Amino acid sequence: MRRTHRLPDADLVPGPPRVPIARAVADHALTLHRIDDVRTVVAEAVRRRLSTVDEIAVELEAGPRKGSALLRQAVDEVGAGAWSAPEARAARLLRPADVPPFEQNARIELPGGSYYLADFLWRGLRAILEIDSVENHFDPADWEATMDRYLVLETLGYSVAHRRPSAIRDRPLRFVGDIEAWLAARATQLR
């Protein structure tokens, strides 16, 4: 619980009074002490369309400045396209690196009207980086569907690289070096 002078507008819905999701996200994030936890809370609220980055940013600006550095960082990272803590960490490492600009969670149109969202996309290089974790692909059916999507992308001429969140977290310099080398080789192949 946190004291406030910014009470939410009264809402005539059944149940106890509650604040908007963006306010709850901001308030909860301010209690967290690890950047990945804050990234996760913000990214999940946005990814699930419970709130927007702009709504959370408004709550951030209206709230206390003291202790808000992690929330500010997470709002910036999710606003730049990250949908998870590992994606945010990867983007933070890749932006200052010697790699071309990229898009995060970029839509790629597929034959037949479907589409795919790539974690990281270098359109000009037709290169996709996916952050794949065992936790997200524990279900065999989900894993199979993911592999099918990657085959379609490879068939369309994309190079798809996969990295686990632990590779980004535990060996950040190696992760950046590997991606730099992969993209350089991809640029050479396309010349």
Side-chain angles (χ1 to χ4, degrees):
M1 302 268 293
R2 179 186 302 272
R3 283 190 178 272
T4 184
H5 298 300
R6 296 183 320 107
L7 295 174
D9 294 333
D11 205 358
L12 298 175
V13 295
R18 48 194 169 267
V19 297
I21 298 289
R23 173 73 177 271
V25 167
D27 284 351
H28 178 58
L30 290 172
T31 69
L32 302 173
H33 303 289
R34 290 179 354 111
I35 184 59
D36 279 355
D37 295 338
V38 178
R39 286 169 170 155
T40 298
V41 168
V42 173
E44 281 299 304
V46 172
R47 191 178 65 76
R48 293 180 186 205
R49 296 186 175 148
L50 300 172
S51 182
T52 66
V53 173
D54 291 339
E55 291 167 340
I56 298 169
V58 166
E59 293 299 332
L60 170 63
E61 291 308 316
R65 287 197 58 78
K66 184 177 181 180
S68 67
L70 297 180
L71 179 55
R72 284 183 193 290
Q73 180 179 333
V75 165
D76 287 346
E77 292 169 343
V78 173
W83 280 9
S84 70
E87 286 179 24
R89 185 183 298 114
R92 195 162 195 63
L93 292 169
L94 291 173
R95 280 202 173 85
D98 188 24
V99 300
F102 52 84
E103 300 170 59
Q104 283 188 268
N105 291 293
R107 186 175 169 134
I108 299 171
E109 301 296 329
L110 300 176
S114 62
Y115 66 92
Y116 175 73
L117 292 176
D119 290 347
F120 292 84
L121 173 64
W122 288 266
R123 263 186 218 281
L125 296 175
R126 297 183 67 78
I128 297 169
L129 170 63
E130 288 296 313
I131 310 301
D132 293 328
S133 65
V134 174
E135 297 82 16
N136 291 339
H137 298 290
F138 190 69
D139 177 41
D142 181 47
W143 179 252
E144 188 69 30
T146 298
M147 293 300 102
D148 289 347
R149 280 192 303 274
Y150 293 160
L151 181 58
V152 168
L153 291 167
E154 291 277 351
T155 302
L156 293 173
Y158 289 92
S159 174
V160 182
H162 312 268
R163 285 294 170 265
R164 292 180 32 199
S166 61
I168 301 163
R169 181 189 62 239
D170 300 341
R171 298 179 306 280
L173 294 177
R174 180 176 173 188
F175 165 75
V176 170
D178 288 348
I179 299 306
E180 286 173 340
W182 167 62
L183 291 172
R186 185 72 179 152
T188 301
Q189 292 170 351
L190 294 177
R191 284 190 193 142

